[in-house]
Amino acid sequence: LNEQLTQLLSIADRNLKRLTLLINDLLDLSKLEAGKMVISPGKVSVEKIITEAVAALKTWAETRNISLSADIGPALPEVNADHDRVIQVLNNLIGNAIKFTPPGGSITVRASAAVGSSSVEVGVKDTGIGMTKENCAKIFDKFYQTGDKGANDVSGTGIGLSIAKEIVELHGGKIWVESEKGKGTEFIFTLPENPPAR
């Protein structure tokens, strides 16, 4: 294949993967509303999960001229979590960051041991367009969209963040956002070493 065909196939492949993620999000939303989403926890390395998520989305970020990197703190404890569901949370957060970060910007996925607890804190920080306090208060609501156009003018469904919130809370963790209009956004969530019994 020549370079142009290779590039077109790569774009088609990425779009198919994104469509698959969208369909899975819709299915997960119906499970959540029916109270039927379950997690299958096991001992996992947060560092490995972040490395996997960053590697999967790095090419998409690079096509938008956005730097995507990981910043992993020392001595992270393993957590008892559902590997695939945590990947899903990161895919949603990193994907949103790519959509709302202009070319030349950067995204950093960080992890550190949470101060004063046995949890791990994970953050996805971008240099994107940021949000108002009003939007921050509503951003995890189902189907809520800020109304701001992403840097790449890619619209979403408004369900990814609400699903991420539900998944984090099923693990016994918390998720929140810190942002300022025009100064970027950071989504932060915690994963305790052991999720609550269900």
Side-chain angles (χ1 to χ4, degrees), residues 90-105:
L90 284 170
N91 282 342
N92 273 317
L93 298 183
I94 297 170
N96 272 356
I98 292 172
K99 290 176 191 176
F100 291 98
T101 298

Side-chain angles (χ1 to χ4, degrees), residues 15 22-23 25 29 42 61 63 66-68 72 83 88 96 107 111 120 122 132 142 144 148 150 155 168 189-190 195:
N15 286 335
L22 172 59
I23 293 169
D25 277 350
L29 181 62
T63 63
I66 296 168
S67 167
L68 174 59
I72 311 296
H83 172 277
Q88 185 178 359
N96 272 356
I107 301 165
V120 172
V122 180
T132 63
K142 291 183 181 71
Y144 181 78
D148 294 324
S155 61
V168 169
F189 65 94
T190 59

Side-chain angles (χ1 to χ4, degrees), residues 129-168:
I129 62 176
M131 291 185 289
T132 63
K133 289 182 179 179
E134 180 185 4
N135 284 332
C136 286
K138 299 178 181 178
I139 197 66
F140 294 106
D141 294 348
K142 291 183 181 71
F143 301 111
Y144 181 78
Q145 294 178 297
T146 64
D148 294 324
K149 291 292 185 182
N152 307 308
D153 202 21
V154 178
S155 61
T157 59
I159 61 176
L161 291 175
S162 63
I163 290 172
K165 180 176 184 289
E166 296 279 359
I167 291 172
V168 169

Side-chain angles (χ1 to χ4, degrees), residues 5-44:
L5 284 175
T6 301
Q7 184 177 11
L8 290 172
L9 285 172
S10 177
I11 292 170
D13 180 60
R14 287 198 305 276
N15 286 335
L16 282 171
K17 287 176 179 175
R18 289 175 60 200
L19 181 59
T20 300
L21 289 172
L22 172 59
I23 293 169
N24 287 337
D25 277 350
L26 291 170
L27 291 171
D28 285 339
L29 181 62
S30 66
K31 288 179 186 176
L32 287 166
E33 290 180 339
K36 293 184 177 180
M37 177 176 278
V38 295
I39 60 172
S40 302
K43 284 293 183 183
V44 296

Side-chain angles (χ1 to χ4, degrees), residues 64-130:
R64 306 292 186 179
N65 192 28
I66 296 168
S67 167
L68 174 59
S69 61
D71 179 15
I72 311 296
L76 287 185
E78 286 191 328
V79 296
N80 198 21
D82 186 320
H83 172 277
D84 292 341
R85 292 300 183 187
V86 178
I87 284 282
Q88 185 178 359
V89 171
L90 284 170
N91 282 342
N92 273 317
L93 298 183
I94 297 170
N96 272 356
I98 292 172
K99 290 176 191 176
F100 291 98
T101 298
S106 64
I107 301 165
T108 303
V109 185
R110 64 168 183 85
S112 60
V115 178
S117 74
S118 58
S119 298
V120 172
E121 185 175 286
V122 180
V124 177
K125 185 178 180 63
D126 64 55
T127 59
I129 62 176

